[in-house]
């Protein structure tokens, strides 16, 4: 049984682009059971909230629990890492405060890769 690793990613939305820890590209390499936490930065959280996640393959066995916390400023995805090599593609959905609109991010990826021996 592996321990649970944690990855924190800060999300900034500056129309018309998303930034993940300051970069427009988000590829996270995972080598064990991992929780990935996406947190809206302060400026973004003053205008937007997480609304959900759209997975390219919602039946992927590596996708565990998804939760939205802290007044929808934090999105948590649990990657169970039950397959050795797998790419999990998804889009993060934001909603501006006081509207019914949705904004969909570019395609972040979680790359499940076996550790190199």
């Amino acid at each position: 049984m592996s321990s649970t690793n944690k990855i924190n990613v800060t999300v900034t939305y500056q129309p018309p682009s998303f930034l993940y820890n300051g970069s427009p590209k988000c590829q996270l390499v995972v080598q064990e059971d991992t929780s990935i936490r996406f947190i809206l930065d302060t400026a973004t959280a003053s205008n937007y909230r997480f609304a959900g996640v759209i997975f390219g393959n919602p039946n992927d066995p590596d996708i565990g629990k998804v939760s939205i916390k802290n007044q929808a400023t934090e999105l948590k995805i649990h990657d169970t890492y039950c397959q050795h090599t797998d790419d999990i593609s998804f889009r993060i959905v934001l909603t501006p405060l006081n509207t019914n609109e949705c904004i969909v991010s570019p395609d972040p990826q979680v790359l499940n890769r076996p550790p190199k021996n």
Side-chain angles (χ1 to χ4, degrees):
M1 181 173 191
S2 74
S3 63
T4 299
N5 189 25
K6 294 183 181 177
I7 299 172
N8 291 325
V9 179
T10 302
V11 179
T12 304
Y13 178 64
Q14 297 173 346
S17 63
F18 279 79
L19 299 174
Y20 305 93
N21 287 355
S23 172
K25 189 169 178 113
C26 185
Q27 285 190 327
L28 305 168
V29 177
V30 171
Q31 297 184 324
E32 63 182 338
D33 187 63
T34 304
S35 290
I36 305 165
R37 186 171 69 160
F38 295 86
I39 305 163
L40 295 178
D41 74 347
T42 304
T44 303
S46 67
N47 295 301
Y48 300 92
R49 293 292 184 264
F50 286 117
V53 181
I54 302 167
F55 289 100
N57 177 7
N59 297 317
D60 188 319
D62 288 319
I63 300 169
K65 184 178 179 181
V66 176
S67 59
I68 297 176
K69 299 179 176 188
N70 296 327
Q71 298 178 330
T73 62
E74 179 182 322
L75 170 70
K76 195 171 188 180
I77 298 173
H78 185 200
D79 180 346
T80 62
Y81 192 74
C82 62
Q83 294 182 356
H84 290 290
T85 300
D86 188 21
D87 295 353
I88 302 171
S89 296
F90 58 97
R91 295 179 180 265
I92 296 172
V93 182
L94 292 181
T95 185
L97 294 176
N98 304 316
T99 73
N100 293 323
E101 298 173 359
C102 286
I103 299 163
V104 180
S105 73
D107 191 11
Q109 284 189 316
V110 174
L111 307 175
N112 286 344
R113 300 292 185 260
K116 294 179 182 179
N117 294 330

